[in-house]
Amino acid sequence: MAKKNQVKRPAASSKFEELMTGTTVFNVPLPADLKTLKGMSPIVIRQPYNIDYIHSYGQDSPFFAGLSNKKLLGTKCPKCDYTWATPRLACTRCGGETDWVELPQTGRVHTFTTCYFGGEEFLKETPFHLVLVEFDGVDTLFLSRLLGPEQPEDIKIGMKIKAKFRRNSQLKPTDVYFVPAE
Amino acid sequence: MRPVYMVSGGVSKFAKARPDATFQKIVKESFDYAMNDVPKLKHSMIDGSVVSYFSDHFTRQLMAGIMAVDYLGLCPKPNKRIEGGGATGGLCFQAGWEAVASGRMNVCAAFGFETMSHVPTWKGNEFIALASDVNFDYPVGGFYSGYYAMMVNRHMHEFGTTVEQLAMVSVKNHMNAYGNPYAQKRRKLTIADVRNSAMVAYPLTLLDICVMSDGAATCILADEETAFKLTDHPVKITGVGTGTDMMRMSDRPHGEVLLAPNEKKSDYGNLKYPGVHSFRAGRSAGLQAYRMAGITDPLKQIDFVELHDAYTSSEIQTYEDLALCKYGDGGKFVEAGYPFMPQIDYGMKLPKKGTLPVNPSGGLIACGHPVGATGLMQAVFAFWQIQGSIKKHYGSPELQLKKANRGLIHSHAGTGTYVTVSIMERGW
């Protein structure tokens, strides 16, 4: 019998999780009458597909070298002065080649979200916050994670945030992340 | 350029999963539907085709396009595959238009499909997120719902748009789909249902977001002479526009609004445009199509719109891009009731109900979003609406608009990178 003041416990699941495992089968039945085949239910099999790519960051590589040295690098067009927070070697405004510059390590939240679900690769990390960061004197934004606030309601557009770096670089854009600056 | 008409269309029933059929058979269902709807069109009269599907990852079959073409018996005639993310279907429709407008073909079949059920939902989200920069964006936590959620949070910040306004779009489109037998999700919802469903990416809930689907759609396009030989009720394509924008949202400029004919610079003060709150590609595509079709006041000159509501937020943003209202007024536009259908009871009070119905079919949110088919599906639903043949195809006249002489269809790819707008009009 349920009693008052009972400790709240998680409810038992009402649904089995879909599994991608199965049983090895070497044969299925086939009816003798071929006229019935169009009514046959489909055969569904598991088909694995795994690849390791040889991915080059190409001309973007210095950005990742910067992260592993705790520097945030953007690019600046020497002709039109436009500064890209997310670097690109070609200026799309004038077609010129940009130069690498160091970005400030403090900025503001331009916009944000909290992801409670995600692509399979990131599902285990949910919930997490994504932010687009704006920097003084820089014309474009930068996508990053925001750590620290617990709930989306704790994040405000315009709030000051600062960059932090992983100690052991993974050579991924998540080598940098942001936390509230004050 | 020659005038181009749509003479027929067909769709498969959109479903979460179609394990009973491969993509070729699903395409053939939509193709056969279209062929059967114009008995005078013989298979031999088709001069060639264009085919669209978004992701080789979902099919795990390269050159799936030609396999659909050969299944339909359209070899050795011309064909090419069209792809551009979420706008794949809209781009395919316009590629069919180009084939006929240029004189290369008199009759062109444009068909598209997607079979997204071949992987679990979260793997599917991972595939879709690969349509973001894999150096800078995908590895940070690639998730399209997250990207659109960031955009709408900025839209709310700039313009005061509310989550209840977003939820109204979901209620509207799910309710419209109730009368569409091809739709995947036919549900009667309230604003509270939308807000109380699972949070996916703040502030977007499960019911603010479209789902994965298996499905196909076919449009048959023809030149003027052939069109009137085939049917008494062809629909003329009077405007096409295609806009683009930078893949990384972070790179989008913060400049001046691309003004529509019914807007002036002073309407926008210091608004930085498009930033991440608006889709410049949608505005660009709309302006091109309006110019071609001679539209200067879209709210008055268009009778209905089928637009790409992968998210309730993007429907509201698209009202603004298409200049149905000013930038910033999208939330108020739905709140006032403009995009609802006049004949449907939505269980809420709407002062301007039904002035310009948007997504009378139920849109992507309720019909489903089999990506390569979606833009073509919109064309088929718009075609039936303009023909006045909704009763014939849906089995009930409930969703037939009284005035449907001119419709707009709008297809949109990842965070607004490709957007197509096409104008379709009564051709007889």
Side-chain angles (χ1 to χ4, degrees):
Chain A
M1 290 290 284
K3 285 180 187 165
K4 275 184 189 171
N5 304 326
Q6 201 170 27
V7 179
K8 193 173 178 187
R9 294 176 297 215
S13 178
S14 61
K15 200 173 155 189
F16 265 135
E17 194 188 339
E18 198 69 64
L19 297 177
M20 287 296 281
T21 53
T23 307
T24 304
V25 173
F26 292 109
N27 196 14
V28 292
L30 181 71
D33 182 0
L34 300 188
K35 290 196 184 73
T36 65
L37 284 180
K38 285 182 184 168
M40 192 176 115
S41 43
I43 295 174
V44 181
I45 62 164
R46 177 168 179 259
Q47 199 168 46
Y49 185 54
N50 299 301
I51 328 151
D52 282 335
Y53 281 91
I54 303 160
H55 182 80
S56 171
Y57 286 131
Q59 74 280 5
D60 297 334
S61 296
F63 171 78
F64 298 91
L67 291 187
S68 66
N69 289 282
K70 302 191 174 12
K71 286 193 192 307
L72 202 49
L73 299 184
T75 56
K76 185 171 183 171
C77 179
K79 270 202 272 183
C80 67
D81 248 13
Y82 201 77
T83 308
W84 302 84
T86 315
R88 56 168 66 226
L89 206 62
C91 178
T92 56
R93 293 161 61 89
C94 70
E97 187 172 300
T98 60
D99 296 326
W100 289 96
V101 292
E102 193 173 343
L103 297 177
Q105 296 199 357
T106 57
R108 285 177 305 277
V109 173
H110 183 78
T111 189
F112 70 98
T113 186
T114 306
C115 296
Y116 294 88
F117 294 91
E120 193 176 270
E121 183 179 345
F122 305 105
L123 208 51
K124 59 186 178 300
E125 298 171 33
T126 57
F128 57 80
H129 312 300
L130 294 177
V131 283
L132 285 170
V133 188
E134 56 184 43
F135 302 98
D136 282 337
V138 178
D139 295 289
T140 70
L141 307 170
F142 181 74
L143 175 67
S144 195
R145 293 271 188 105
L146 179 69
L147 274 72
E150 284 191 5
Q151 300 294 334
E153 288 81 3
D154 302 330
I155 308 170
K156 299 282 175 261
I157 287 177
M159 78 189 253
K160 282 189 181 165
I161 51 178
K162 62 182 180 193
K164 292 196 71 151
F165 297 85
R166 276 187 205 273
R167 189 173 65 174
N168 295 333
S169 166
Q170 308 294 303
L171 296 173
K172 293 277 181 73
T174 41
D175 283 352
V176 65
Y177 58 95
F178 284 76
V179 297
E182 48 200 23
Chain B
M1 282 191 301
R2 305 191 296 173
V4 180
Y5 291 78
M6 181 163 168
V7 296
S8 187
V11 293
S12 67
K13 156 81 182 161
F14 300 113
K16 177 83 187 163
R18 285 286 310 272
D20 62 296
T22 64
F23 64 87
Q24 298 101 312
K25 181 174 181 293
I26 303 174
V27 171
K28 190 160 192 314
E29 287 170 12
S30 70
F31 180 79
D32 287 349
Y33 193 118
M35 293 299 287
N36 291 335
D37 204 37
V38 268
K40 287 182 188 164
L41 174 62
K42 303 297 165 217
H43 197 280
S44 59
M45 292 167 72
I46 299 173
D47 298 307
S49 59
V50 284
V51 58
S52 62
Y53 66 103
F54 156 58
S55 172
D56 295 307
H57 291 72
F58 280 113
T59 46
R60 211 201 67 102
Q61 168 67 67
L62 300 188
M63 295 187 74
I66 189 61
M67 293 171 72
V69 173
D70 80 34
Y71 202 78
L72 299 180
L74 289 169
C75 297
K77 295 168 182 178
N79 175 269
K80 64 185 162 196
R81 176 201 175 178
I82 307 293
E83 190 277 320
T88 293
L91 289 165
C92 183
F93 181 79
Q94 294 189 345
W97 174 84
E98 285 158 10
V100 177
S102 66
R104 188 179 184 196
M105 299 182 200
N106 289 334
V107 179
C108 178
F111 42 86
F113 66 89
E114 210 75 43
T115 47
M116 307 175 81
S117 69
H118 296 196
V119 294
T121 295
W122 304 117
K123 182 55 89 176
N125 270 282
E126 190 180 301
F127 287 172
I128 291 167
L130 288 169
S132 60
D133 188 321
V134 296
N135 275 9
F136 293 100
D137 290 349
Y138 172 80
V140 179
F143 186 36
Y144 255 94
S145 298
Y147 301 158
Y148 280 86
M150 284 193 285
M151 296 185 107
V152 74
N153 275 329
R154 189 68 200 186
H155 195 275
M156 291 172 158
H157 175 80
E158 291 283 351
F159 306 122
T161 312
T162 67
V163 290
E164 288 76 20
Q165 290 166 341
L166 303 185
M168 287 179 82
V169 172
S170 180
V171 172
K172 167 176 75 70
N173 295 353
H174 280 98
M175 190 70 93
N176 290 351
Y178 214 78
N180 180 352
Y182 300 101
Q184 186 170 334
K185 284 170 73 197
R186 302 160 71 192
R187 296 175 64 180
K188 295 184 177 176
L189 300 171
T190 64
I191 290 173
D193 291 334
V194 179
R195 289 317 300 163
N196 292 335
S197 68
M199 187 62 74
V200 175
Y202 180 88
L204 299 174
T205 72
L206 202 59
L207 291 173
D208 282 309
I209 304 173
C210 68
V211 290
M212 307 266 174
S213 310
D214 285 358
T218 296
C219 297
I220 312 279
L221 307 176
D223 69 292
E224 189 164 87
E225 195 187 331
T226 313
F228 281 95
K229 276 185 199 158
L230 294 173
T231 171
D232 295 334
H233 303 104
V235 168
K236 192 175 182 182
I237 300 155
T238 56
V240 293
T242 314
T244 56
D245 215 332
M246 303 171 85
M247 172 55 93
R248 302 189 305 220
M249 279 194 294
S250 53
D251 291 348
R252 307 271 170 90
H254 298 259
E256 287 183 10
V257 177
L258 280 178
L259 294 175
N262 54 341
E263 294 175 342
K264 48 192 189 300
K265 203 175 166 186
S266 59
D267 291 341
Y268 290 116
N270 287 324
L271 180 68
K272 303 285 184 231
Y273 179 87
V276 298
H277 52 73
S278 297
F279 304 118
R280 183 173 58 159
R283 177 50 70 98
S284 170
L287 294 185
Q288 292 166 41
Y290 290 161
R291 202 175 308 124
M292 195 169 156
I295 294 170
T296 50
D297 189 351
L299 184 61
K300 293 209 175 89
Q301 293 174 281
I302 295 169
D303 297 323
F304 71 96
V305 172
E306 286 285 346
L307 67 77
H308 193 99
D309 58 328
Y311 300 91
T312 52
S313 50
S314 45
E315 172 158 330
I316 284 179
Q317 289 161 306
T318 298
Y319 299 151
E320 302 170 359
D321 299 327
L322 296 178
L324 309 181
C325 60
K326 294 220 162 33
Y327 275 113
D329 288 345
K332 293 182 202 118
F333 186 77
V334 70
E335 206 167 65
Y338 289 98
F340 288 78
M341 294 186 75
Q343 67 265 43
I344 308 273
D345 178 14
Y346 297 92
M348 51 180 123
K349 215 177 144 197
L350 302 159
K352 305 257 185 190
K353 185 175 159 190
T355 314
L356 176 53
V358 175
N359 287 325
S361 68
L364 282 58
I365 280 191
C367 290
H369 182 17
V371 186
T374 302
L376 294 156
M377 158 191 99
Q378 295 170 319
V380 174
F381 292 150
F383 174 75
W384 291 339
Q385 197 60 260
I386 295 168
Q387 274 199 327
S389 60
I390 288 291
K391 186 183 173 192
K392 175 183 172 189
H393 297 287
Y394 289 180
S396 151
E398 196 189 5
L399 293 179
Q400 180 68 56
L401 291 163
K402 279 208 180 89
K403 186 165 179 277
N405 294 332
R406 185 190 252 167
L408 179 154
I409 56 172
H410 163 276
S411 192
H412 165 121
T415 68
T417 45
Y418 287 110
V419 180
T420 65
V421 171
S422 305
I423 308 292
M424 300 169 69
E425 298 186 30
R426 186 184 160 111
W428 67 96

